[in-house]
Amino acid sequence: MELPMEKWTILSRKKIMQRAVFSVSDMECEHASLGISHTFSIIDAPDWINVVAQTENGELILVRQHRLGTDEITWETPAGMIEKGEDPRCAAERELSEETGYTAKEIVLMSVLRANPAIMTNRIHFFLAKGCTEIQKQNLDREEDISVELRSVRQVQDMIHSGQIDHSIIVTALSLFLLSEKQQSVTEGL
Amino acid sequence: MELPMEKWTILSRKKIMQRAVFSVSDMECEHASLGISHTFSIIDAPDWINVVAQTENGELILVRQHRLGTDEITWETPAGMIEKGEDPRCAAERELSEETGYTAKEIVLMSVLRANPAIMTNRIHFFLAKGCTEIQKQNLDREEDISVELRSVRQVQDMIHSGQIDHSIIVTALSLFLLSEKQQSVTEGL
C-alpha cells in the first residue's frame, strides 16, 4: 500500500527576475510535520517541444548551433518554446519547418515529461515526425544560426555512445524513439 | 565534410542573482557574420549526479518526494548536487546512502551529459549502482522528506509508459539503463 506523502504549504510566491525565456521566483513554504519553513527558488518557463524527425529514407534530421549555456556547438533534434496559446503539435511543426525547412507527413506525440520538477515548472512535449521532406528554406529568428545535418539511426546511436550528442533532453528524445523502435522490432519478431 | 560553425563572442558576463542551488547571469554577445549583438541569460548550477540503483534481487530503488517546481509528488531515482571538490562517484555513493540507506557493491558510470546547453552550464553524471543492500537508515537534509520504494524493472517500464514517472532527467537515467540492458541481451543472444 502506498502512503500519501505530505506536501509543503506554499505561503507566498514572488517573482525576482524575468528574462525572454525564463523567470525566477522565490516561494516561502512550510512543512507541518517537519516543523520548518524553507525558501525554494524555482524557474518558470513556457512548455518546450522537441522533435525527432525522420526523412522518407529513415534518416534523422539533426541541427547544430552554438549554445551559450555551455559555450559549445551542439548536435540536437529540432526544438523550441511553445508560443502563448499555441497547440504543442503546431509548435512542433513550426519549429521543424523554421529550423530545417522540412515538413512531416505525420507527427505523433511520443511523451510529455516534466523538464525538472525540482526547480522548473514546465513540460517538454516529445514528438516523432515521420516521412519528412524538404519543401522550403529555413526561416530562422534574428539571433539563430543553425545548420542541418542528416544522420542514419545507427550513426545517431554511435554519436550518443561516443558523447558527441551530449544534451540530456536530446538524449531523452532519441532514447524514447530508440526504445519504441526496439519495442516495435520485438513485437514484430513475435 | 563538416564545416566549422561560427560562435558568438562573449563580450561581458554579469551575475544578476544567486540562490542556494543555482545562479543567473546575463551575457552580452556579438555574432560577426549575423552582424548583431544579443543578451543571453544563463543558469549556473553545480554538476548533478543521478543513480539508477538496483538491489541484489534486481529491483530498482526509487524515491518519492514533493517537488516545488511542479508542486507534485514525484517518482525519481536518487539524485543530487555534487559538492565543491567532491568526486562525482563519491557524490553518487553519498546521495544513494543519504536518501535511501542503501550501499552498492559496485558503481559504474553510464554517461555524462549536459543538463541543457541552451540555458544551463552544468553536467549530469549518470551512474548505475549494482548489488545494493540496505545497511543503514536514511540521513536526510533538514528540508528533505523522502520515501523509498522498490519496483521491478518491468514495473518501472510500465511507470514510464503510463506517465507515472514523468521527470525528464529520471526518464533519461532509466532509458540509459534500459537501452544498455537491451544491448546486453542482444549481445548475449548472439
Side-chain angles (χ1 to χ4, degrees), chain B residues 7 33 50-51 56 81 86 103 112 116 138 144 166 177:
Chain B
K7 282 181 148 190
S33 56
N50 199 295
V51 190
E56 292 195 304
M81 294 191 304
E86 189 180 27
T103 300
V112 182
N116 183 350
Q138 285 177 311
E144 282 183 325
D166 70 348
F177 167 71

Side-chain angles (χ1 to χ4, degrees), chain B residues 62-187:
Chain B
L62 302 179
V63 289
R64 305 198 68 201
Q65 56 195 312
H66 180 211
R67 291 301 208 171
L68 271 299
T70 53
D71 193 14
E72 286 171 349
I73 311 281
T74 54
W75 287 90
E76 305 186 22
T77 47
M81 294 191 304
I82 299 177
E83 289 174 5
K84 211 163 186 165
E86 189 180 27
D87 175 72
R89 184 179 304 268
C90 295
E93 285 166 2
R94 178 180 53 73
E95 287 288 352
L96 176 62
S97 168
E98 287 175 1
E99 293 191 353
T100 72
Y102 281 80
T103 300
K105 204 171 271 172
E106 189 191 357
I107 294 203
V108 295
L109 182 67
M110 293 195 292
S111 189
V112 182
L113 301 176
R114 297 292 194 172
N116 183 350
I119 55 170
M120 300 199 71
T121 59
N122 65 327
R123 295 179 298 179
I124 314 172
H125 305 252
F126 293 94
F127 288 94
L128 174 59
K130 299 177 183 177
C132 295
T133 47
E134 195 178 1
I135 60 164
Q136 59 192 64
K137 292 199 169 177
Q138 285 177 311
N139 178 19
L140 299 174
D141 290 341
R142 178 178 168 275
E143 74 284 1
E144 282 183 325
D145 177 22
I146 294 176
S147 77
V148 180
E149 306 264 353
L150 302 184
R151 291 291 183 273
S152 70
V153 173
R154 186 51 188 264
Q155 282 175 317
V156 165
Q157 282 179 298
D158 291 343
M159 290 166 79
I160 296 172
H161 278 292
S162 70
Q164 203 175 5
I165 296 176
D166 70 348
H167 184 318
S168 78
I169 300 169
I170 307 305
V171 171
T172 309
L174 292 167
S175 297
L176 291 169
F177 167 71
L178 293 170
L179 283 168
S180 72
E181 273 224 316
K182 277 179 200 278
Q183 194 51 49
Q184 205 175 335
S185 49
V186 167
T187 312

Side-chain angles (χ1 to χ4, degrees), chain A residues 10-15 25-28 42 44 121, chain B residues 68:
Chain A
I10 302 166
L11 303 175
S12 69
R13 179 180 179 137
K14 187 181 169 193
K15 189 183 284 189
S25 296
D26 281 341
M27 298 201 304
E28 299 294 332
I42 58 151
D44 256 306
T121 59
Chain B
L68 271 299

Side-chain angles (χ1 to χ4, degrees), chain A residues 99-188:
Chain A
E99 292 192 354
T100 72
Y102 281 81
T103 299
K105 205 170 268 170
E106 188 191 358
I107 294 202
V108 295
L109 182 66
M110 292 195 292
S111 189
V112 182
L113 301 177
R114 297 292 194 172
N116 183 351
I119 54 170
M120 300 200 70
T121 59
N122 65 328
R123 295 180 298 180
I124 315 172
H125 304 252
F126 293 93
F127 288 94
L128 173 60
K130 301 177 183 178
C132 294
T133 47
E134 195 176 4
I135 61 165
Q136 59 192 63
K137 292 200 169 178
Q138 283 178 313
N139 178 21
L140 299 175
D141 290 343
R142 177 178 168 276
E143 74 284 1
E144 283 182 325
D145 177 22
I146 293 175
S147 78
V148 180
E149 307 265 354
L150 302 184
R151 292 291 183 273
S152 70
V153 173
R154 186 53 190 261
Q155 283 174 317
V156 165
Q157 282 178 299
D158 291 343
M159 291 166 79
I160 295 173
H161 279 290
S162 70
Q164 203 174 7
I165 296 177
D166 71 349
H167 185 318
S168 79
I169 300 170
I170 307 305
V171 171
T172 310
L174 292 167
S175 296
L176 291 169
F177 167 71
L178 292 170
L179 283 168
S180 72
E181 272 223 318
K182 278 180 199 277
Q183 193 51 49
Q184 205 175 337
S185 48
V186 168
T187 314
E188 282 169 1

